Amino acid sequence: MAGTSRYQFNYVELLLIHLGMAFAVYFFRPSSPFILLGVIVYFLFLTIVNENKNNEALMGAAYIAGGEVFFRQTDAMFFYETGKYMVIVFLLIGMFFKGTSSRTAPYWTYLFILIPGIVVASITMSYDSEVRKLVAFNLSGPVALGVSAIYCYYKKIQERDFKSVISFLLMPLIAHMFYLYLYTPSMMDVGINLQANYAATGGYGPNQISTVFGFGAVLLAMRLFVVRHKLINLIDLVLLGMMGYRALITFSRGGVFTAVICIAAFLIFLYYKRGARERNRLNFKIFLLGGTILLLWLFSLVQTGGLLGNRYTNRDAAGELKKDITTGRAELIETELQAFINHPVTGIGVGKGYEYRLENQGISIATHNELSRMLSEHGLLGLVAILILILVPIIFWTKFKNNYYFLAFLAFWFLTINHSAMRIALPAFVYGLALLYIVDDKKHPVHRKRLANQ
């Protein structure tokens, strides 16, 4: 990368490095903070030395966004929101060297919209609440999204550099997957909970694991169609099966449903853009992908004694149909919409949603839906922010349909924040990636080699 041969690795070498990382963390867990520190220093060094000429800052942010849950689970984070903060830091440094588009005003407006909610929170929060922590927890994700959007909006990036960004987003997810296979190699020997299978996630939150592994499966599925190398395609197909299996057996459905929709969105647009001759090749790969997914589902059913089927058809262990398919999320949304109706102008303040539910319904749980949170905590300004986040990328895409990943990435952001809010940096960062203007290498040849060039 950065035109310097000593930093170059191919895809297989990167896979082996991250397999080694998984072994290192599994057998000596205290190594995880040092690995994270090494990653941060490495990408900061490349970004500063090369003045972000090849979007090294975006690559560093991608790695942190992809590895956030892994490093959280293995106690590497200096504090809980380190991942989101480092994504912001990398992209701000990148902007310092390369600036931003003059058309980013909507996203600056979005960031300024978040400020009044902090003021309201300082007034509405109870005396003994930790306002700083609640504000940081609820706003670090939205701010990361705003910074990602400002960095990426209308930014031109060479296709080869973009593939490097995707590789760096994927690699820590693969390391995380290998780690969990070491931690729980077989589901036949552990108990399974139909609600959330912590045994399959090393004791960490199944919702977050399902989300990141579902997205890892999306990236691997995409690579089958954009990388023309039979051996690499075979490796990716195997990794897709392994990643998809770990997502399924979390028993957390949100990340899996999101992944399926994202893959479908990517394939529909790709199929539409390709000519008749290329579609024949696509048909074979689509058939191969479909067969892999079917085998993966059947294997997972066997491994879970059929309970996975019950989970995805919303039945309990006895096979009885449950009434609530949302597992309580609908009630949370209803509470937040009621807060918006009661306080439509100013909202109830950033982070107040948790207290509001506790005071009015006796429910002590954080939000799972970012859209209803924005409405309840920011009021009408929150509605404006939501409209900006939805309408601006759609208008952008109507002008430039050169980003095959746009629909899939925007779908991932939208669906994820509707079932898991913005607990992690990944949906915020992926939203930004959807706004990149990808330059075709064939039309604009680049002679420099790149890191992660497959």
Side-chain angles (χ1 to χ4, degrees), residues 52 55 57-59 61-62 65 87-88 90-92 94-95 98-105 107-108 143-158 161-162 165-166 169 392-393 396 400 402-403 406 409 426-439:
N52 199 35
N55 287 291
L58 193 63
M59 296 175 193
V87 167
I88 294 170
F90 270 113
L91 297 181
L92 287 177
M95 285 185 235
K98 294 194 71 174
T100 63
S101 168
S102 60
R103 304 179 185 183
T104 55
Y107 291 111
W108 284 110
V143 171
L145 186 150
V147 173
S148 297
I150 290 169
Y151 181 95
C152 295
Y153 192 49
Y154 270 91
K155 180 177 288 295
K156 290 184 178 180
I157 183 171
Q158 295 288 344
D161 284 332
F162 182 77
V165 171
I166 297 302
L169 189 55
V392 172
F396 171 78
F400 309 106
N402 66 331
N403 187 340
F406 174 87
F409 284 177
L426 192 60
F429 181 75
V430 171
Y431 177 95
L433 293 184
L435 304 174
L436 289 168
Y437 184 94
I438 301 174
V439 180

Side-chain angles (χ1 to χ4, degrees), residues 254-313:
V256 175
F257 283 139
T258 297
V260 171
I261 294 171
C262 291
I263 292 171
F266 173 77
L267 291 178
I268 289 170
F269 184 64
L270 187 66
Y271 202 84
Y272 169 76
K273 292 289 287 185
R274 294 294 171 89
R277 182 178 299 179
E278 290 179 306
R279 285 178 182 174
N280 291 329
R281 187 184 298 112
L282 285 179
N283 288 337
F284 172 74
K285 288 192 173 183
I286 290 173
F287 176 79
L288 192 63
L289 177 61
T292 300
I293 292 173
L294 178 60
L295 289 174
L296 172 61
W297 173 254
L298 294 175
F299 178 77
S300 300
L301 277 178
V302 173
Q303 287 287 299
T304 59
L307 289 178
L308 190 66
N310 287 16
R311 176 63 169 165
Y312 278 82
T313 55

